[in-house]
Amino acid sequence: MRPRTWVLVLAAVFAVLQLANVTGRDTPDSENYVSYALTLGGADHREAAARTAGWACAGQASAAARAQSVNVLHFHAPSPARRVFAECRENELRRVERRLAAGQTDGHIVPFVAPRLRAIFEVRPGYPVFLLPFVTAFGVTWGVWLASVLVTAAGGALAFLILRTLSVPVPLALTGQALYYALPVGTTAMRPMTEGLTLALTLTAVWGCALALTGQAGAARAGTARVGTAWAGTALVAGALLALFAVKHAQALFLGVCLAGAGAAVAVRRRRHGRAAGRPVVAIAAAGCVAVAGTLLLARLLGYPSEAESMQDLLTDHYTHPDRVRPWPEFLHLEWDFWVEWLRRQLLAPLFPAALAAGAWGARRRPAFGVFLLAAAGTGFLTQAGHPDINIWGDRLIVLAWLLPVVGVPLLLEPLVERVVRVPSQGSLDEVSGGGLPEAHSMR
């Protein structure tokens, strides 16, 4: 089969496996995003509340039934699904009705949470807009599931495209796609929150970096025609950063900072070796700087919640306690304690550090690209550092760091494959994948 067919087969297998968990993936944040999408589609707050609560409570009821079915003492008891669903739905709608009666009717999001917390989600329209056509056409349950499957499948396909752009053999590029689905990246991307779309857009920016760098190398070597590829890659980076602002503007800020720093590092290294920095590298760094400045300026002009508000949200457990008078010292104290405890837990089960080390070692095979890959993965650590809460839903905030092993491990395995399997010539690669790929090892 052609490589693109294998990509579709892997995505289809992943989608079929996700039928085992159509509901029950929601988190406390998910209700805000789903109700946002429903109100964008024309539903009023009460209708959106009823449909969102029905979906979330169906997931809780299904989870309760499954848990009881394997409980060693109560597996023979009647299913609690109906009772759990009814109690959950009644509690959710009662809370919403009380807030609506108090006048909390502004914005698109149903008031499942207090106004200050809701304001944080109101400035993230990108994911609700993405959900809108799916929940409109297929209903909430299947619409949310299908949207999650498609965005996760797209992330895996982007991992494949990145590796093929770097002239990695097809089997290893497919390995990168499979790693995206199998590692915690796929699990997190399937949750109905912003992470799936954030991961896909970050990978789009990484693909743009790969295209820009390989296009530059091809133009320098052939003296011709890869300039268009280089600038197309830079345009992808800029487009991804712009889209990230709508999905989660803090991520656009973090990715802009990291890409700008990576571009500067590559340029300095090349200058020290007597080489020009290269226009694509400068352009990517410039796009990162524009993203940083634009995010800060637009967030201020649009009245987005500030970093101080986000800090109060963290330190008051979502505004359930009084605001802290001196938030910065307390935040820094928590930050230090968090990373000490986080490191202790990683040493207890060191899969994540080992995967990061393997990915970083593999990224060394494409030095310039590897710097940008490390930068993109580093946004996971920045996101986690902004929310040093050890209890947040399965390390979802740091999930972007997993992109390093997703792309880096296939690069690490490349020499082994080259020894065992004869790598086709560039002409053969173009023939099977549609052409336009740079020569193998062009980034070395």
Side-chain angles (χ1 to χ4, degrees):
M1 292 190 291
R2 290 177 176 269
R4 66 191 66 152
T5 306
W6 280 112
V7 171
L8 293 175
V9 168
L10 272 180
V13 170
F14 173 79
V16 169
L17 294 176
Q18 302 316 301
L19 289 170
N21 294 279
V22 176
T23 61
R25 298 179 190 267
D26 57 292
T27 73
D29 294 351
S30 301
E31 290 182 325
N32 298 305
Y33 295 120
V34 172
S35 66
Y36 198 152
L38 291 173
T39 57
L40 286 175
D44 61 27
H45 281 78
R46 286 180 172 83
E47 179 189 352
R51 294 176 65 185
T52 303
W55 164 73
C57 293
Q60 290 189 25
S62 176
R66 293 196 304 270
Q68 179 169 295
S69 70
V70 292
N71 186 291
V72 295
L73 297 178
H74 305 292
F75 62 89
H76 47 70
S79 170
R82 288 189 178 182
R83 174 181 56 79
V84 170
F85 177 82
E87 292 176 356
C88 169
R89 191 173 187 275
E90 181 182 358
N91 291 335
E92 292 289 308
L93 295 183
R94 185 190 302 119
R95 186 168 74 249
V96 169
E97 192 60 42
R98 184 170 61 250
R99 288 185 169 132
L100 290 175
Q104 297 180 25
T105 57
D106 58 314
H108 290 286
I109 297 176
V110 170
F112 289 106
V113 295
R116 289 175 69 183
L117 181 57
R118 187 156 43 96
I120 294 175
F121 295 97
E122 286 281 358
V123 300
R124 300 174 183 176
Y127 181 61
V129 168
F130 172 73
L131 279 181
L132 177 58
F134 296 98
V135 297
T136 301
F138 301 100
V140 176
T141 299
W142 287 103
V144 170
W145 179 86
L146 183 58
S148 299
V149 166
L150 289 179
V151 77
T152 309
L158 283 164
F160 174 88
L161 287 171
I162 291 166
L163 290 163
R164 289 299 288 144
T165 301
L166 299 173
S167 294
V168 173
V170 171
L172 287 178
L174 291 170
T175 300
Q177 182 184 4
L179 285 172
Y180 187 89
Y181 299 149
L183 291 174
V185 194
T187 304
T188 304
M190 278 296 299
R191 289 176 181 153
M193 294 186 294
T194 58
E195 276 72 28
L197 204 50
T198 298
L199 283 160
L201 290 171
T202 303
L203 279 172
T204 301
V206 174
W207 184 30
C209 293
L211 284 170
L213 293 169
T214 52
Q216 177 193 19
R221 187 172 50 253
T224 56
R226 309 235 27 129
V227 175
T229 302
W231 288 112
T234 307
L236 268 180
V237 173
L241 287 166
L242 182 62
L244 273 172
F245 180 85
V247 175
K248 196 173 183 181
H249 68 281
Q251 183 59 28
L253 177 66
F254 293 153
L255 185 58
V257 167
C258 290
L259 290 181
V266 172
V268 168
R269 183 176 183 276
R270 288 180 171 179
R271 291 284 188 185
R272 286 180 176 175
H273 287 79
R275 299 165 54 198
R279 289 182 179 179
V281 172
V282 174
I284 293 171
C289 292
V290 170
V292 172
T295 298
L296 293 173
L297 179 61
L298 280 175
R300 180 65 60 87
L301 291 175
L302 296 173
Y304 282 9
S306 65
E307 64 279 359
E309 189 70 8
S310 179
M311 195 183 306
Q312 291 290 358
D313 169 44
L314 172 75
L315 296 175
T316 61
D317 192 20
H318 302 310
Y319 307 111
T320 57
H321 294 78
D323 280 10
R324 303 299 179 97
V325 178
R326 299 174 65 246
W328 273 108
E330 295 190 42
F331 177 79
L332 294 175
H333 186 170
L334 176 63
E335 190 82 54
W336 172 263
D337 290 347
F338 171 85
W339 288 111
V340 170
E341 174 61 14
W342 182 87
L343 182 60
R344 187 194 66 81
R345 296 189 184 191
Q346 298 307 312
L347 295 177
L348 182 66
L351 172 63
F352 185 38
L356 290 177
W361 194 257
R364 293 173 66 253
R365 291 181 53 78
R366 305 292 194 278
F369 170 78
V371 175
F372 286 100
L373 176 61
L374 283 166
T379 61
F381 286 93
L382 288 179
T383 304
Q384 183 70 79
H387 302 78
D389 184 349
I390 206 72
N391 299 312
I392 288 184
W393 290 89
D395 297 327
R396 68 176 176 87
L397 293 177
I398 206 170
V399 70
L400 284 152
W402 281 100
L403 296 182
L404 181 57
V406 165
V407 178
V409 167
L411 290 171
L412 181 65
L413 297 175
E414 191 177 19
L416 300 178
V417 173
E418 290 173 349
R419 293 191 190 103
V420 176
V421 182
R422 184 180 67 86
V423 178
S425 66
Q426 181 61 31
S428 300
L429 284 174
D430 288 345
E431 183 179 333
V432 298
S433 60
L437 291 172
E439 292 180 11
H441 319 310
S442 62
M443 291 299 298
R444 298 181 193 169

